[in-house]
Amino acid sequence: MVVRSSSNWLHVIGVGVPLFGCERAVLGSLSIVFSEDRFPQRRSDRIIAQLRQAVEAVHDGLARYAASPQPGTAARKPRRPRSVKAKRG
């Protein structure tokens, strides 16, 4: 997506690509913003392609992270509940 924005003092163009999670839920996005006079219009397709590649790398990394056991959790055994001693009286 390419978006143009301007105000009295700033003219910018932003390019963003959404990051989808499972079930196509949007988790976030990666974007880059250029001042309007520095935006390389002729390279916008290339910029979008590079952002898509970066989003895929982030998505793959998150998927690997979610699938791997977290440090400290694999070796831990469930604790047994402490027995309560009855008071004698």
Side-chain angles (χ1 to χ4, degrees), residues 56-70:
E56 287 176 22
V58 170
H59 180 270
D60 293 346
L62 290 173
R64 281 193 304 276
Y65 179 77
S68 66
Q70 301 304 308

Side-chain angles (χ1 to χ4, degrees), residues 1-3 12-17 29-35 39-40 44 47-48 50-51:
M1 170 186 355
V2 177
V3 178
V12 296
I13 296 174
V15 180
V17 176
S29 66
L30 290 181
S31 62
I32 187 167
V33 178
F34 297 91
S35 62
F39 179 66
S44 61
I47 292 167
I48 292 168
Q50 288 176 325
L51 281 173

Side-chain angles (χ1 to χ4, degrees), residues 8-82:
N8 293 337
W9 57 276
L10 183 63
H11 299 273
V12 296
I13 296 174
V15 180
V17 176
L19 171 62
F20 293 103
C22 61
E23 298 179 15
R24 304 284 297 163
V26 176
L27 299 177
S29 66
L30 290 181
S31 62
I32 187 167
V33 178
F34 297 91
S35 62
E36 190 172 39
D37 58 336
R38 301 207 46 173
F39 179 66
Q41 181 68 43
R42 68 187 183 285
R43 296 189 59 211
S44 61
D45 290 340
R46 175 82 172 131
I47 292 167
I48 292 168
Q50 288 176 325
L51 281 173
R52 284 185 177 148
Q53 287 176 345
V55 161
E56 287 176 22
V58 170
H59 180 270
D60 293 346
L62 290 173
R64 281 193 304 276
Y65 179 77
S68 66
Q70 301 304 308
T73 58
R76 206 178 229 181
K77 293 181 181 177
R79 290 177 34 181
R80 282 194 231 168
R82 292 183 181 172

